[in-house]
Amino acid sequence: MHSPPKPHPFEAKLAQTWPPATWGDVNVLVAVSGGPDSMALLRSVCALKSCGQGRVFVGHFNHRLRGEAADADEAFVAEVAKELRLPLEVGRLPDGPAQRFGKHGLEGGARRARYRFLTETAAKVGARLVAVAHTADDQAETILHRILRGTGIGGLAGMRRARPLSEAATLVRPLLAFRRAEIQAYLHDLGQDYRVDATNLDVRRTRNRIRHRLLPELADRFNPNVVEALLRLGRLAAEVQLVIEPIVDLRLEQCLVESDGQAVWLDFNRVPPQSPYVVREMFMAVWRRQGWPLREMSYEQWESLATLAEPSPQRRVRTFPGGVTAETSNGNVRLRRRV
Amino acid sequence: MHSPPKPHPFEAKLAQTWPPATWGDVNVLVAVSGGPDSMALLRSVCALKSCGQGRVFVGHFNHRLRGEAADADEAFVAEVAKELRLPLEVGRLPDGPAQRFGKHGLEGGARRARYRFLTETAAKVGARLVAVAHTADDQAETILHRILRGTGIGGLAGMRRARPLSEAATLVRPLLAFRRAEIQAYLHDLGQDYRVDATNLDVRRTRNRIRHRLLPELADRFNPNVVEALLRLGRLAAEVQLVIEPIVDLRLEQCLVESDGQAVWLDFNRVPPQSPYVVREMFMAVWRRQGWPLREMSYEQWESLATLAEPSPQRRVRTFPGGVTAETSNGNVRLRRRV
């Protein structure tokens, strides 16, 4: 008899924030591009997967945007999956001109196609969890990008550790607490190769400009720990939203007169005057519950909605994206979506 | 008889956010450097000051950091005050090497000396309000600087519109809603001259690097409306803090067993488990109430304090800046400052 091998510190840290006991019994689909982050995720998941009835699947999406290099990535991931004896699922972006992505652009369109593939593959293999390899550095880049583009406190919290992907599957990000340097050190210790995606160096892409130009400049000129500063601000924003959420839910419950699939009636006279922040969050919660198009709402439109909650005898009607109409008088707001 | 002259749009906007009826009856000390922002503030305050028993005073602080240019600024402000028939108070930074500012550095030391002068002058002339000319652009720069340096949600809100300066006087920032371009246009319409402070162009200073290099780069490379995005995030952070504050105050009241000038006893068993965010804010509120050195506390120290609120039979003692000692067991936290 011999004791099991001591886990690598990287794996021990992962086990602490994402205990294998919580996912050992379900099928997990790991999204693997072949780059360092997803290779570290795959290897550490395999290292921790010692018990439980769940299986680990490798999912690779070939964007086919980089010709031979993309096919070589796919071959590399297939090789790794074979070595690790893991079933592999491969998706491919169909041929055709990039213009077909329309308003989402090439990057956005490819991302949507990748998530669609992951969702469908999770259903196919019965995976309850889909693990993607976003790191702390990705999170800091996301937070900075959102600040520059314009965000509220919710968006400032960055990417969530977990979010529903479909009725059956949840997207998880087990590496959000890991810095790029920890990942490199782990792969080095394992002697694990990875692929370098040349398009990640293309600074015409916003994300790459933030990663390779802006963040190094900010570290150099303003604060060497700017990434940590952004991550902490993001954590605080997430915490504060968790304090606000129960208030919003309670107020919404108190205001709600009736609702169905198409319509919601809120009576703001039933609650004391609320902060505009809470009122806007109440409307956002309504949009989420109803499945109305949330992303198409601008901040000005949420503000406009919040003014409808103010008691005014004047009857006002406004229309919002996705055909949602709001009609108000005397603090009663009736929202209806044209079907 | 003739109707009074129509106010300039700049003045009308100022009157809307800072109604003259709210300050017409008290003495107002306007801090005037001679630069465009403070000239616009002074002229618009004078234009709106048509009634009430209060008087307007001009306060100028000569930093004496720029030799003849600084003295010329002082002479310019004296000339303007004379034209406007306003009493002038001048303060000067005493001679001596810059090293005397110690850890606050030259800029920080000069700022402290300026605020001391404004506070003393307000007391001398009986001014209840001290108006400074920070603009929306200054606010965006402050918010961005704080993000880069590391800030929480409270700091993200930026400079407040009003804050106590002393027992008797309040600092106000009436121009926080005005962009630099509006100020330039107003001064142009008035034909009002102003002084240009050459040190404001010195990019060795952090604030100037943010103003003249970073923000233009961000506007150029990421979002032409980055200033507006930062201002909106700041407003949302301020709003969210206003939602959290009453919760913090209520919880603090419920926890507080006793307190005096030196010591505070909190019993966290009296409230349901609170979010770490609320617990940290509760401790910050204690620090503020007690007048303990708030700025010297790091985020890690607030986090350390928050862990003391968790119920643990183990007795723990920790010391914080300014000689504050925290002792805890079973959710009872006793804070004491060594006198």
Side-chain angles (χ1 to χ4, degrees):
Chain A
M1 275 178 67
H2 61 277
S3 56
K6 204 167 173 251
H8 188 282
F10 186 95
E11 295 156 6
K13 178 174 165 181
L14 180 62
Q16 216 174 10
T17 54
W18 197 45
T22 62
W23 52 270
D25 280 327
V26 298
N27 287 354
V28 178
L29 174 65
V30 181
V32 180
S33 69
D37 303 342
S38 61
M39 284 312 304
L41 175 63
L42 182 64
R43 290 295 305 263
S44 54
V45 163
C46 287
L48 294 174
K49 182 74 186 74
S50 56
C51 60
Q53 303 183 352
R55 293 175 68 200
V56 174
F57 294 82
V58 175
H60 177 76
F61 190 70
N62 187 337
H63 285 170
R64 305 181 73 185
L65 298 174
R66 298 174 296 117
E68 284 178 21
D71 292 334
D73 286 353
E74 182 184 323
F76 172 76
V77 173
E79 190 60 38
V80 170
K82 196 175 154 193
E83 280 169 29
L84 297 171
R85 298 177 191 189
L86 298 174
L88 170 71
E89 297 287 334
V90 172
R92 291 189 184 86
L93 202 64
D95 273 328
Q99 286 80 347
R100 73 187 182 283
F101 292 116
K103 67 174 175 174
H104 300 294
L106 182 61
E107 277 180 84
R111 189 175 57 239
R112 288 162 69 94
R114 183 169 70 246
Y115 278 103
R116 199 181 318 120
F117 160 71
L118 291 171
T119 308
E120 287 167 6
T121 306
K124 180 179 156 195
V125 304
R128 289 270 300 281
L129 297 175
V130 176
V132 293
H134 293 117
T135 65
D137 293 272
D138 294 322
Q139 181 72 301
E141 290 157 16
T142 297
I143 292 169
L144 181 56
H145 190 189
R146 290 186 182 178
I147 289 171
L148 298 179
R149 219 172 41 184
T151 185
I153 305 298
L156 192 62
M159 296 178 281
R160 282 177 288 171
R161 273 190 65 84
R163 72 166 172 87
L165 197 60
S166 67
E167 290 279 313
T170 300
L171 185 83
V172 291
R173 298 186 168 98
L175 298 190
L176 272 190
F178 290 84
R179 294 296 304 270
R180 216 158 268 149
E182 292 173 274
I183 284 165
Q184 290 289 352
Y186 176 56
L187 293 172
H188 179 263
D189 291 348
L190 293 181
Q192 173 66 58
D193 286 341
Y194 53 85
R195 298 277 300 172
V196 176
D197 179 349
T199 60
N200 280 347
L201 302 170
D202 181 353
V203 291
R204 284 170 303 183
R205 297 189 180 184
T206 306
R207 169 58 66 123
N208 293 336
R209 279 209 309 279
I210 290 176
R211 178 176 304 171
H212 298 297
R213 297 233 172 120
L214 181 57
L215 273 170
E217 279 170 21
L218 295 176
D220 189 45
R221 295 194 288 173
F222 295 99
N223 178 6
N225 300 315
V226 64
V227 165
E228 288 82 359
L230 289 167
L231 291 172
R232 192 173 76 196
L233 183 58
R235 280 201 305 277
L236 292 170
E239 278 185 7
V240 98
Q241 283 293 94
L242 283 181
V243 178
I244 301 278
E245 257 169 36
I247 301 172
V248 170
D249 288 344
L250 173 68
R251 291 315 187 196
L252 190 53
E253 207 173 298
Q254 291 170 328
C255 281
L256 194 68
V257 182
E258 56 182 64
S259 75
D260 60 33
Q262 278 94 50
V264 177
W265 172 13
L266 301 172
D267 180 0
F268 283 89
N269 300 301
R270 294 182 173 192
V271 297
Q274 298 296 307
S275 130
Y277 192 90
V278 170
V279 175
R280 287 195 305 270
E281 291 282 322
M282 286 168 69
F283 282 113
M284 289 181 200
V286 167
W287 253 246
R288 268 192 297 272
R289 287 181 188 195
Q290 298 292 117
W292 292 345
L294 201 66
R295 278 161 184 264
E296 292 170 34
M297 289 285 289
S298 70
Y299 178 76
E300 287 68 29
Q301 286 168 324
W302 294 119
E303 268 196 326
S304 158
L305 261 172
T307 64
L308 295 182
E310 289 158 15
S312 156
Q314 201 195 338
R315 184 175 163 279
R316 288 169 290 174
V317 181
R318 278 178 210 159
T319 307
F320 297 94
V324 178
T325 303
E327 191 186 328
T328 186
S329 65
N330 291 315
N332 277 273
V333 181
R334 287 160 198 266
L335 300 157
R336 177 175 298 278
R337 189 175 186 193
R338 194 187 54 222
V339 197
Chain B
M1 277 179 66
H2 61 276
S3 57
K6 203 164 174 260
H8 188 280
F10 186 95
E11 296 156 6
K13 179 174 166 182
L14 181 61
Q16 214 173 12
T17 55
W18 196 46
T22 64
W23 51 270
D25 280 326
V26 299
N27 287 354
V28 178
L29 174 65
V30 181
V32 180
S33 69
D37 302 343
S38 60
M39 285 311 304
L41 175 61
L42 183 64
R43 290 294 305 263
S44 54
V45 163
C46 287
L48 294 175
K49 182 73 185 76
S50 56
C51 60
Q53 302 181 354
R55 293 175 66 199
V56 173
F57 294 82
V58 175
H60 177 75
F61 190 69
N62 186 337
H63 285 171
R64 304 181 73 186
L65 299 174
R66 298 175 295 116
E68 283 177 21
D71 292 333
D73 286 354
E74 183 184 323
F76 172 76
V77 173
E79 189 61 35
V80 170
K82 197 174 152 193
E83 280 170 27
L84 297 171
R85 298 180 190 185
L86 299 174
L88 170 72
E89 297 286 334
V90 172
R92 291 189 184 87
L93 203 64
D95 272 327
Q99 286 80 348
R100 72 187 183 284
F101 292 117
K103 66 174 176 175
H104 300 293
L106 182 62
E107 276 179 85
R111 189 175 57 240
R112 287 163 69 94
R114 184 168 71 246
Y115 277 103
R116 199 180 318 119
F117 159 73
L118 291 172
T119 308
E120 287 168 3
T121 306
K124 181 180 155 192
V125 305
R128 289 271 301 282
L129 298 174
V130 176
V132 293
H134 293 117
T135 65
D137 293 272
D138 294 320
Q139 181 73 299
E141 290 157 17
T142 296
I143 292 169
L144 181 57
H145 189 189
R146 290 184 182 178
I147 289 171
L148 298 178
R149 217 172 42 185
T151 185
I153 305 299
L156 191 62
M159 298 179 280
R160 284 177 286 172
R161 273 190 65 85
R163 73 165 170 89
L165 197 61
S166 67
E167 291 278 313
T170 300
L171 185 83
V172 291
R173 297 185 168 97
L175 298 190
L176 273 188
F178 290 84
R179 294 297 304 270
R180 215 158 268 150
E182 293 174 274
I183 284 166
Q184 290 288 352
Y186 177 54
L187 293 173
H188 179 265
D189 291 348
L190 293 181
Q192 174 66 58
D193 285 341
Y194 52 86
R195 298 277 299 171
V196 176
D197 179 349
T199 61
N200 280 348
L201 302 171
D202 180 354
V203 291
R204 285 169 302 182
R205 297 189 180 186
T206 307
R207 170 58 66 121
N208 293 336
R209 278 209 309 281
I210 291 175
R211 178 177 305 173
H212 298 298
R213 297 235 171 119
L214 181 56
L215 274 171
E217 278 169 23
L218 296 175
D220 189 44
R221 294 195 287 172
F222 295 98
N223 177 6
N225 300 315
V226 64
V227 165
E228 288 81 359
L230 289 166
L231 292 172
R232 192 173 77 195
L233 183 58
R235 280 200 306 276
L236 292 169
E239 277 185 7
V240 98
Q241 282 293 94
L242 283 180
V243 178
I244 301 278
E245 259 169 35
I247 301 172
V248 170
D249 289 344
L250 173 68
R251 291 314 187 197
L252 191 53
E253 208 174 294
Q254 290 170 329
C255 280
L256 194 68
V257 183
E258 55 182 63
S259 75
D260 60 32
Q262 277 92 51
V264 176
W265 173 14
L266 302 172
D267 180 359
F268 282 90
N269 301 302
R270 295 183 172 190
V271 296
Q274 298 296 306
S275 129
Y277 192 91
V278 170
V279 175
R280 286 195 305 272
E281 292 279 324
M282 285 168 70
F283 282 114
M284 290 182 199
V286 167
W287 252 247
R288 268 193 296 272
R289 286 181 189 194
Q290 296 292 116
W292 293 345
L294 201 65
R295 278 162 184 263
E296 293 170 31
M297 291 285 288
S298 70
Y299 178 75
E300 287 70 27
Q301 287 168 324
W302 294 120
E303 268 195 326
S304 159
L305 261 171
T307 64
L308 295 181
E310 290 159 14
S312 156
Q314 200 194 341
R315 184 176 162 276
R316 286 168 291 173
V317 180
R318 276 176 212 161
T319 307
F320 297 94
V324 178
T325 304
E327 192 186 326
T328 185
S329 67
N330 290 315
N332 276 273
V333 182
R334 286 159 201 267
L335 300 157
R336 178 174 296 280
R337 188 175 187 193
R338 194 186 55 223
V339 198

